[in-house]
Amino acid sequence: MTLSTGCSSSLVGLHEACAAIQAGDCSSALVAGTNLILTPTMTTNMSDNMVLAPDGICKTFDAAADGYGRGEAINAIYIKSLKSALRDSDPIRAVIRSTATNCDGRTPSITTPGSATQKSLIQKAYEIARISKITDTPFFECHGTGTTVGDTAEVSVVAELFGDHQTFIGSVSNQEPH
């Protein structure tokens, strides 16, 4: 199955794979995500819409955030139920407690995040995982667009959900080229 949901494609694919395993539609899944820059068309379009940082460096959560830098990658993970992994003595690198997806379609543009919708999604994922106290998981991995509107919306929601509790946030998007 190929999914194209913008920045969330790989996570929506993971959500669908987890749902299929839970429903018994399959016993395991290979979930992959790619970003390949094969033609200049998308880069030109993103540049015209001021989504890309002029210097090509994503400055997530930084006052100097001015867009993100494009990169190429192909990543894949193999997943199966915890019960099956334990039975098969597989090495377990992580346990996915829940997944959730949503989209409200009510933002000014497809690239503009909706804070209320993000908050609702986070709460839904924690509810599905049966984690009643969000502060029990003090590390939060963010999307980290490197844009003022995106980072502000995301960090505001995390701050609202965690309140006065110490919280660490990160984003794989905030990786500078070496």
Side-chain angles (χ1 to χ4, degrees):
M1 169 187 316
T2 300
L3 299 168
S4 181
T5 61
C7 296
S8 63
S9 298
S10 298
L11 289 175
V12 172
L14 179 65
H15 172 75
E16 293 297 323
C18 289
I21 291 169
Q22 282 183 323
D25 294 338
C26 61
S27 59
S28 62
L30 184 64
V31 181
T34 66
N35 187 57
L36 299 174
I37 304 170
L38 301 174
T39 67
T41 311
M42 182 60 80
T43 302
T44 302
N45 186 315
M46 294 172 118
S47 183
D48 290 346
N49 287 293
M50 298 185 293
V51 175
L52 299 179
D55 61 5
I57 298 173
C58 186
K59 300 170 214 59
T60 303
F61 312 131
D62 190 311
D66 57 359
Y68 77 98
R70 294 195 75 198
E72 295 184 299
I74 299 173
N75 293 291
I77 59 171
Y78 175 74
I79 64 170
K80 64 196 305 188
S81 72
L82 179 60
K83 181 179 177 180
S84 296
L86 291 169
R87 179 198 65 220
D88 298 340
S89 299
D90 292 333
I92 299 170
R93 305 290 185 228
V95 174
I96 301 169
R97 299 264 310 252
S98 75
T99 64
T101 63
N102 73 359
C103 177
D104 69 4
R106 292 180 178 88
T107 58
S109 75
I110 194 168
T111 61
T112 306
S115 295
T117 306
Q118 285 187 2
K119 181 179 178 184
S120 172
L121 177 63
I122 294 165
Q123 290 171 320
K124 180 180 174 182
Y126 275 80
E127 182 181 313
I128 293 167
R130 296 187 196 130
I131 300 172
S132 58
K133 227 174 119 182
I134 194 169
T135 55
D136 285 347
T137 57
F139 178 80
F140 199 91
E141 178 69 18
C142 295
H143 178 202
T145 62
T147 64
T148 302
V149 67
D151 289 352
T152 301
E154 192 168 26
V155 171
S156 296
V157 169
V158 173
E160 187 178 335
L161 288 170
F162 282 86
D164 292 335
H165 297 275
Q166 183 177 14
T167 307
F168 299 94
I169 60 172
S171 173
V172 75
S173 299
N174 193 21
Q175 300 299 314
E176 292 188 28
H178 299 286

